[in-house]
Amino acid sequence: MGLFRRTKNTNKPLLRQIIDLCPRWMLMRCADEHNGDKGCSRYKTYDQFVAQTFGQLNKCYTLSDISTGIGVSETFIADLGLAQSPARSTMSDGNKKRSYKVFETLYYRLLAHYGRLLTKYGQANIINEINDRDIKLIDSTTISLCLSMFDWAKFRTAKGGIKIHTCWDDALMIPDMVNITQAKVHDSKGLAQSVFRKGTVIVEDRAYFDFSLILQRIVAENVFVTRIKTNTVYETVEELELPEDSDQDILKDEIITLSSDKALKTGIAQHYLRLVHVYKQDENKVIEIITNNLDWSARTIADLYKKRWDIELFFKAIKQNLQIKTFLGTSENAVKSQIYIALITYLLLQIIKRTIAKKAQAFSNFVEKIRICLCFYLTLDYACNMVGEGAKRIRGQTQLHVGEKPDLFSWNR
């Protein structure tokens, strides 16, 4: 068997194989809906998608990096499905003019397209008592921006920033709702949708502990699980018994009512709620988890809140492995386009990791393999499963004997 095997080689670079996971017709339909190619004679929506995806996977810090990287070979340009490599100025204009809505819509279309596949190969931790429930994890992450360059993203007096408000679907193990706002927008008002279908379990941090929001969830028959704020006034109605031989980290389980003036005014004081006190050994502190479910075990409530770690890991993964902290344009449209293309890239990587990669590996290690092989003509299977650490020996090659050549750096005398 020679050096190159049939399972290894392909006539497309790895980047093109990743891009092809996004159906071309779907991208074009999104572009048509939002007039994405209006007034753009050369730098089409597809060109921007290819360029930005290359920038995401290669962690390019400037538009010049993208232009140089794609333009290194005419063969590479053609095999990406481009007529020419994008110029820096052309990409800059495209980032300003082409609506980010094209890529926002594309993200949700891809999510619907691959939804069953993502669920089938998801690896969510199942909580037996509620394994038939929809679980949503809601949180946000803040990205700081230089106010002098991003003047539309004013946060504080001398600081700019944006927030990526995210709803994470536990079955898909991927965000199914994202909203990008200025950093000053409060977490509890960051998502357009605050309630979900009957029976949905919503897990949040205490930034979302808002009486009006809680009441909306109760009326919609959603189950919320969040942390109570330290200054919340409440009365204990009943203290529930705890198991003697298990769940030693659960210190107290009680039924309560909120009793402050604000609680009385909003009407939330009329509802019985549950407060579970859990000791976190790694942080040596007690956290108080509040919910409107009075029937599940305290263990289930504690494990539900622990699921928040999944969305924290997502924020960490996307910040460390993709490009959402350094932006290639300063307009609001450019920033949002880049973030949504980063989300699309993350979605495509998850499809590859869950369905093609056979070995369990950290997301960062997996992305690094993809990055190294991005411009090579290797199959996704080979890049995911055959490329690894360690020395490689060349087999079946005869040593070439060539005449001695002069040193390239020597002076001709």
Side-chain angles (χ1 to χ4, degrees):
M1 185 177 292
L3 176 63
F4 297 105
R5 294 170 293 181
R6 291 183 65 187
T7 56
K8 176 180 178 180
N9 289 330
T10 177
N11 59 355
K12 293 181 181 180
L14 197 73
L15 175 61
R16 177 63 185 273
Q17 296 171 66
I18 295 171
I19 289 169
D20 283 350
L21 291 174
C22 172
R24 187 77 170 262
W25 61 265
M26 188 182 292
L27 176 62
M28 292 301 97
R29 189 170 293 176
C30 294
D32 291 342
E33 287 179 16
H34 299 286
N35 296 316
D37 288 333
K38 185 179 180 180
C40 300
S41 58
R42 289 183 295 179
Y43 193 57
K44 302 292 187 181
T45 301
Y46 177 78
D47 299 50
Q48 183 175 356
F49 181 60
V50 172
Q52 288 272 351
T53 304
F54 177 84
Q56 287 293 331
L57 292 170
N58 246 336
K59 297 195 78 171
C60 295
Y61 291 99
T62 67
L63 294 173
S64 295
D65 291 345
I66 295 175
S67 180
T68 302
I70 293 178
V72 73
S73 162
E74 290 185 12
T75 302
F76 185 61
I77 296 168
D79 288 343
L80 288 177
L82 303 175
Q84 65 181 54
S85 61
R88 185 195 63 78
S89 58
T90 307
M91 286 189 285
S92 179
D93 290 340
N95 286 342
K96 291 178 185 176
K97 296 177 181 178
R98 182 170 289 110
S99 173
Y100 75 89
K101 290 285 185 181
V102 174
F103 304 108
E104 179 186 33
T105 303
L106 179 61
Y107 176 73
Y108 292 120
R109 297 277 171 83
L110 284 169
L111 201 59
H113 184 71
Y114 286 113
R116 289 186 179 180
L117 193 68
L118 289 166
T119 302
K120 179 180 179 181
Y121 293 98
Q123 297 178 336
N125 293 323
I126 303 298
I127 300 175
N128 292 329
E129 194 170 10
I130 53 169
N131 62 4
D132 59 340
R133 296 289 191 112
D134 289 336
I135 300 174
K136 306 289 185 182
L137 315 180
I138 296 178
D139 205 351
S140 73
T141 187
T142 302
I143 298 173
S144 297
L145 299 173
C146 176
L147 189 58
S148 62
M149 296 177 65
F150 302 85
D151 55 357
W152 52 270
K154 188 172 182 179
F155 182 23
R156 297 193 176 100
T157 305
K159 188 177 181 181
I162 57 172
K163 269 186 185 176
I164 306 177
H165 303 270
T166 306
C167 177
W168 174 274
D169 186 275
D170 186 61
L172 293 170
M173 292 294 288
I174 205 166
D176 66 345
M177 193 187 308
V178 173
N179 188 35
I180 304 165
T181 69
Q182 295 180 1
K184 63 184 180 182
V185 175
H186 193 272
D187 286 356
S188 62
K189 296 176 174 60
L191 289 174
Q193 183 176 348
S194 57
V195 297
F196 299 86
R197 71 177 186 176
K198 179 180 176 180
T200 300
V201 181
I202 305 164
V203 184
E204 306 160 310
D205 200 2
R206 63 181 165 198
Y208 298 86
F209 183 72
D210 176 87
F211 290 165
S212 298
L213 184 59
I214 287 174
L215 196 56
Q216 289 179 46
R217 302 266 167 80
I218 292 173
V219 171
E221 296 186 55
N222 295 160
V223 175
F224 70 85
V225 177
T226 185
R227 282 178 69 184
I228 195 170
K229 290 183 178 178
T230 54
N231 61 347
T232 304
V233 180
Y234 66 89
E235 294 180 0
T236 301
V237 176
E238 178 187 0
E239 187 169 337
L240 305 177
E241 292 186 8
L242 297 174
E244 295 182 1
D245 301 325
S246 62
D247 302 331
Q248 298 301 307
D249 58 323
I250 297 174
L251 306 182
K252 187 189 290 187
D253 183 8
E254 53 187 336
I255 306 296
I256 66 166
T257 56
L258 302 177
S259 54
S260 66
D261 291 341
K262 187 176 180 180
L264 292 167
K265 184 177 180 180
T266 58
I268 192 67
Q270 301 174 18
H271 298 272
Y272 289 122
L273 300 174
R274 179 103 164 269
L275 193 62
V276 179
H277 305 250
V278 183
Y279 175 67
K280 288 195 70 178
Q281 186 173 5
D282 56 335
E283 298 180 26
N284 192 28
K285 68 178 183 181
V286 177
I287 61 171
E288 297 175 324
I289 305 169
I290 189 169
T291 179
N292 58 324
N293 184 280
L294 308 181
D295 301 318
W296 296 336
S297 68
R299 176 79 274 149
T300 293
I301 303 300
D303 287 346
L304 270 170
Y305 188 76
K306 191 176 180 180
K307 274 185 174 288
R308 281 194 64 260
W309 186 241
D310 290 339
I311 197 169
E312 297 290 351
L313 290 175
F314 162 71
F315 289 143
K316 182 179 179 181
I318 201 169
K319 286 181 177 180
Q320 290 183 347
N321 297 285
L322 296 174
Q323 197 65 293
I324 65 164
K325 292 195 294 184
T326 301
F327 292 97
L328 304 175
T330 57
S331 69
E332 182 176 3
N333 190 73
V335 168
K336 289 185 176 182
S337 293
Q338 185 172 327
I339 291 173
Y340 277 112
I341 290 177
L343 289 169
I344 292 168
T345 305
Y346 179 83
L347 189 156
L348 298 179
L349 288 171
Q350 282 295 326
I351 292 167
I352 296 167
K353 186 175 186 294
R354 296 184 198 184
T355 61
I356 297 177
K358 297 173 183 176
K359 298 178 182 178
Q361 55 188 320
F363 183 72
S364 58
N365 294 340
F366 164 74
V367 176
E368 190 62 27
K369 283 185 180 181
I370 296 293
R371 183 174 294 120
I372 289 168
C373 299
L374 201 60
C375 300
F376 288 94
Y377 289 67
L378 305 171
T379 64
L380 283 166
D381 177 74
Y382 186 90
C384 292
N385 302 311
M386 303 295 289
V387 174
E389 298 178 359
K392 299 290 185 183
R393 182 184 295 275
I394 298 177
R395 299 176 182 177
Q397 298 290 302
T398 56
Q399 186 174 357
L400 297 177
H401 297 280
V402 296
E404 188 175 332
K405 297 291 185 180
D407 186 350
L408 290 174
F409 299 100
S410 62
W411 292 94
N412 292 324
R413 297 189 185 276

